[in-house]
């Protein structure tokens, strides 16, 4: 016959289990405190921002132009901002993911467009036509056509694309995003609160509209 | 020393690694993964994103230490079965999920790969449950039994 544990053993085991659970939870919380992903980006007034600066919803988006969810999110936000003017102030930051071949190049083009005051028309073209360029081996000819369509000066653009400070700016944005614990795109900070993905974005925006009623 | 012991510890470590990254990062990252499987209502998605990594962590630690081993193995079996169902339905519905998000960014696996991995784990845990005495080598359960 198998030996049955006595009640004292069971109490000791339960105490050990509780002790281990507490140690694990404390360990995780300490690591979370040390790494501190609780920050949020400051909202700025720059060429990559649009909307009412005093809007109740201040959004900073970290975008990868080759990410399909980002394209859907961008189109949703554009429609939302048209339907509800003055509700959102949106600022864009770059977060090119390593898995996307054209993520860095598209960010470079977007930043160069920004320096000519054409960020938003070029941004819209990039996300609307993403399905046309994302699978190309080289997307630069497609980006050039889009740049022409939004009347970007090609001479300035070509000089800008060779400028190393553009890469530095993109890397700075990405490093900033990583310091907040961003792993995927699109990630939004809405009034400082981190929101990942279109579904959560819709929930927050709809909740805001319902509260306003 | 036996192979089942290494399977038990290895499986526990896998759970701890999987949970660790999710717990340390902002929970919204894992919530995004949960949402991509489109299987739960929003409230439960949120709850799952907050609770699941803790369950993985506790089960992993208990497996490594061999505390409440049989119950921990049964819990792990249930959890892996849930993973199998969730991944299976995503494949069935052809949801646009590139990779599972199971291990954060540490390991990226396509859904078919996850299905194979989870099926193997399910089988392995079932074997461990069947041979729980052998798998309990160097376990706290044995230590408490000796007292």
């Amino acid at each position: 016959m198998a030996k049955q544990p006595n009640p004292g053993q069971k109490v000791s085991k339960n105490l050990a289990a509780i002790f281990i659970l507490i140690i694990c939870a404390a360990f995780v919380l300490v690591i979370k405190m040390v790494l501190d992903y609780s920050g949020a980006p400051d909202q700025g007034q720059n060429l990559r921002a649009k909307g009412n600066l005093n809007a109740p919803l201040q959004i900073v988006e970290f975008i990868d132009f080759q990410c399909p969810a980002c394209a859907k999110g961008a189109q949703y936000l554009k429609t939302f901002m048209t339907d509800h003017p003055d509700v959102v102030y949106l600022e864009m930051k770059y977060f090119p993911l390593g898995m996307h071949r054209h993520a860095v190049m598209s960010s470079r083009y977007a930043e160069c467009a920004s320096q000519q005051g054409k960020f938003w028309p070029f941004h819209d073209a990039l996300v609307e036509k993403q399905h046309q360029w994302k699978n190309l081996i080289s997307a630069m000819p497609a980006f050039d056509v889009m740049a022409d369509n939004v009347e970007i000066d090609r001479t300035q653009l070509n000089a800008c694309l060779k400028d190393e400070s553009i890469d530095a700016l993109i890397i700075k944005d990405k490093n900033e995003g990583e310091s907040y614990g961003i792993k995927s795109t699109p990630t939004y900070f809405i009034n400082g609160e981190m929101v990942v993905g279109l579904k959560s974005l819709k929930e927050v925006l709809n909740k805001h509209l319902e509260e306003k009623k | 020393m036996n192979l089942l012991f290494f399977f038990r510890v290895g499986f526990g470590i896998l759970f701890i690694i999987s949970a660790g990254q999710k717990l340390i990062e902002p929970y919204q990252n894992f919530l995004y993964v949960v949402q991509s499987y489109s299987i739960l209502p929003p409230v439960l998605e949120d709850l799952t994103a907050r609770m699941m990594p803790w369950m993985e962590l506790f089960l992993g630690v208990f497996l490594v230490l061999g505390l409440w081993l049989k119950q921990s193995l049964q819990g792990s079996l249930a959890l892996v079965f849930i993973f199998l169902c969730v991944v299976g339905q995503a494949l069935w519905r052809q949801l646009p999920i590139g990779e599972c998000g199971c291990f954060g960014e540490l390991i990226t696996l396509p859904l078919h790969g996850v299905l194979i991995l989870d099926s193997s784990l399910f089988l392995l845990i079932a074997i461990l449950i069947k041979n729980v005495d052998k798998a309990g080598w160097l376990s706290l359960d044995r230590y408490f039994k000796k007292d």
Side-chain angles (χ1 to χ4, degrees):
Chain A
M1 207 171 87
K3 192 184 163 190
Q4 292 296 314
N6 66 41
Q9 286 171 355
K10 204 174 172 187
V11 171
S12 306
K13 259 174 85 171
N14 284 339
L15 284 175
I18 292 165
F19 179 71
I20 289 163
L21 293 185
I22 292 168
I23 293 286
C24 288
F27 185 69
V28 169
L29 294 176
V30 166
I31 293 180
K32 269 181 96 82
M33 274 171 64
V34 170
L35 292 177
D36 189 20
Y37 288 133
S38 62
D42 292 328
Q43 197 94 28
Q45 199 175 3
N46 60 42
L47 294 167
R48 286 182 274 138
K50 67 174 179 179
N52 175 6
L53 192 59
N54 299 314
L57 294 178
Q58 302 277 318
I59 303 179
V60 178
E61 177 181 353
F62 284 82
I63 193 169
D64 170 344
F65 291 108
Q66 200 179 336
C67 136
C70 294
K72 283 181 191 161
Q75 283 161 347
Y76 177 80
L77 263 178
K78 190 182 175 186
T79 310
F80 185 90
M81 288 178 78
T82 309
D83 294 345
H84 308 281
D86 294 339
V87 174
V88 169
Y89 181 70
L90 174 65
E91 186 189 344
M92 207 60 77
K93 286 182 184 269
Y94 305 110
F95 199 85
L97 296 168
M99 67 170 91
H100 291 145
R101 181 191 304 187
H102 306 308
V104 171
M105 187 53 79
S106 54
S107 300
R108 260 189 218 145
Y109 267 81
E111 182 51 30
C112 288
S114 164
Q115 299 206 347
Q116 293 187 41
K118 297 279 174 65
F119 177 82
W120 288 105
F122 191 75
H123 160 278
D124 292 350
L126 273 177
V127 296
E128 277 162 24
K129 293 179 177 154
Q130 189 201 68
H131 61 284
Q132 291 174 12
W133 57 262
K134 70 175 179 182
N135 293 323
L136 298 173
I137 292 168
S138 168
M140 284 179 72
F143 296 155
D144 286 338
V145 172
M146 280 184 253
D148 289 343
N149 289 344
V150 297
E151 296 172 352
I152 288 172
D153 183 286
R154 283 286 287 278
T155 314
Q156 281 183 51
L157 175 71
N158 289 336
C160 175
L161 289 170
K162 289 174 192 156
D163 186 348
E164 286 178 5
S165 69
I166 299 297
D167 281 345
L169 191 143
I170 294 166
I171 291 166
K172 184 173 161 270
D173 272 7
K174 186 159 187 195
N175 288 344
E176 186 188 352
E178 282 172 343
S179 74
Y180 306 134
I182 295 178
K183 287 286 180 300
S184 48
T185 55
T187 292
Y188 310 89
F189 285 85
I190 306 179
N191 295 343
E193 190 72 29
M194 187 178 183
V195 169
V196 185
L198 180 56
K199 194 173 176 184
S200 293
L201 173 73
K202 282 181 180 174
E203 280 169 17
V204 174
L205 295 184
N206 289 333
K207 193 176 161 199
H208 175 80
L209 291 180
E210 278 171 22
E211 282 172 359
K212 235 177 74 172
K213 275 181 190 169
Chain B
M1 194 160 59
N2 60 55
L3 202 59
L4 292 176
F5 161 77
F6 286 106
F7 282 149
R8 182 196 101 207
V9 172
F11 184 64
I13 290 170
L14 196 70
F15 258 14
I16 293 169
I17 291 171
S18 168
Q21 206 188 355
K22 290 172 198 155
L23 285 170
I24 290 162
E25 286 173 3
Y27 96 99
Q28 291 93 330
N29 284 336
F30 186 53
L31 174 63
Y32 183 47
V33 174
V34 174
Q35 286 174 339
S36 66
Y37 286 92
S38 307
I39 198 171
L40 295 170
V43 178
L44 288 182
E45 282 175 344
D46 199 75
L47 199 69
T48 305
R50 289 179 190 274
M51 300 303 295
M52 179 79 83
W54 285 108
M55 282 172 61
E56 279 184 295
L57 178 72
F58 294 148
L59 283 172
V61 170
F62 277 32
L63 286 177
V64 170
L65 297 177
L67 186 62
W68 292 113
L69 185 55
K70 193 171 179 187
Q71 291 81 354
S72 301
L73 284 168
Q74 286 166 342
S76 306
L77 192 76
L79 204 58
V80 172
F81 180 72
I82 293 168
F83 293 160
L84 272 170
C85 293
V86 170
V87 173
Q89 68 85 32
L91 281 168
W92 177 265
R93 292 165 63 196
Q94 297 181 332
L95 295 177
I97 301 169
E99 56 96 19
C100 66
C102 325
F103 300 95
E105 272 202 341
L106 286 177
I107 308 166
T108 54
L109 283 174
L111 289 190
H112 287 94
V114 178
L115 207 62
I116 294 166
L117 177 73
D118 280 349
S119 304
S120 313
L121 288 178
F122 187 82
L123 203 68
L124 186 63
I125 299 167
I127 293 170
L128 286 172
I129 291 173
K130 180 98 176 140
N131 300 284
V132 71
D133 285 339
K134 281 186 188 168
W137 187 69
L138 279 182
S139 68
L140 282 178
D141 276 355
R142 285 202 185 168
Y143 171 79
F144 282 112
K145 233 176 185 174
K146 275 185 203 162
D147 282 349

